[in-house]
Amino acid sequence: MTSRDLVLGRLRAALAAGGPADPVPRDYRRAADADLDQLAQRLTDYRAQVHRVTEAAVADTIADILPAGGTVVVPPGLAPAWLPPTVTALPDDGLDHARIGAADGVVTAAAVAIAQTGTVVLDGSPDQGRRVLSLLPDLHVCVVRADQVVATVPEAIARLTPQRPLTWISGPSATSDIELIRVEGVHGPRRLHILLLP
């Protein structure tokens, strides 16, 4: 008998002897109010740049972030009023990876943001687009409304549909090499700008 057979045999025996699993308690702590200042601080700690703006100022803020004459990929359901006339919008109608990666940036909305963790979640809705949009361009501009901000992870989970393609973003993409030197942009955009609307 091999070690593999022994382990699998023990697993089969344990599963055969067991009854239904005990229910998992779901009485998580929930906060009453989300703290926009806490979200902004956490995102800043993760090296994202946070802009507190009104909806009327979104286009001007994006114009300040993106180079004039630049190209920005946009999901099909993004609000047109958010885009400044100084950039060329490239709607994602199934763009190939090379065109997405060559753009100067991407602008998306968000599904939910978590104040305690400084995390923004995209769920593939029409104003957020495919997951690849938030991974290939070097710059990601994400617009988050105050009513999308929750305090805790359980509150965020309650708002999300688990069957949707969820992308959890806590700052620009970063990793560390073997000498613990931070390297940004390996698994996604090096620069993340969050526009936080009241």
Side-chain angles (χ1 to χ4, degrees):
M1 175 179 280
T2 67
S3 297
R4 179 180 185 272
D5 293 333
L6 181 63
V7 170
L8 290 176
R10 288 180 181 169
L11 287 171
R12 287 186 192 101
L15 290 172
D22 293 335
V24 177
R26 303 286 185 197
D27 54 343
Y28 302 113
R29 182 176 61 87
R30 298 184 190 274
D33 295 319
D35 187 344
L36 298 182
D37 292 330
Q38 183 182 36
L39 173 64
Q41 182 59 51
R42 293 285 196 274
L43 286 164
T44 302
D45 289 346
Y46 294 141
R47 299 188 183 178
Q49 293 193 30
V50 178
H51 310 265
R52 306 282 291 260
V53 299
T54 64
E55 183 142 5
V58 168
D60 289 339
T61 306
I62 291 174
D64 291 340
I65 296 168
L66 290 163
T71 302
V72 61
V73 177
V74 296
L78 191 78
W82 287 354
L83 298 175
T86 57
V87 299
T88 301
L90 188 60
D92 178 36
D93 55 1
L95 295 171
D96 62 40
H97 292 179
R99 291 189 73 194
I100 295 170
D104 294 304
V106 61
V107 178
T108 70
V112 68
I114 307 165
Q116 278 187 352
T117 63
T119 304
V120 176
V121 185
L122 281 58
D123 70 359
S125 292
D127 59 356
Q128 298 155 51
R130 301 182 290 156
R131 187 168 189 270
V132 70
L133 300 185
S134 65
L135 296 175
L136 290 181
D138 192 50
L139 167 69
H140 182 184
V141 178
C142 186
V143 181
V144 179
R145 295 186 322 271
D147 64 353
Q148 294 175 306
V149 179
V150 296
T152 64
V153 172
E155 290 171 282
I157 297 291
R159 288 192 181 197
L160 296 167
T161 304
Q163 293 78 19
R164 296 192 63 83
L166 302 177
T167 304
W168 297 63
I169 302 167
S170 295
S173 167
T175 190
S176 294
D177 66 13
I178 195 167
E179 296 175 357
L180 299 179
I181 297 172
R182 182 181 169 99
V183 180
E184 296 181 348
V186 177
H187 307 292
R190 282 185 308 119
R191 297 177 295 145
L192 174 65
H193 290 259
I194 303 295
L195 276 59
L196 188 53
L197 277 54

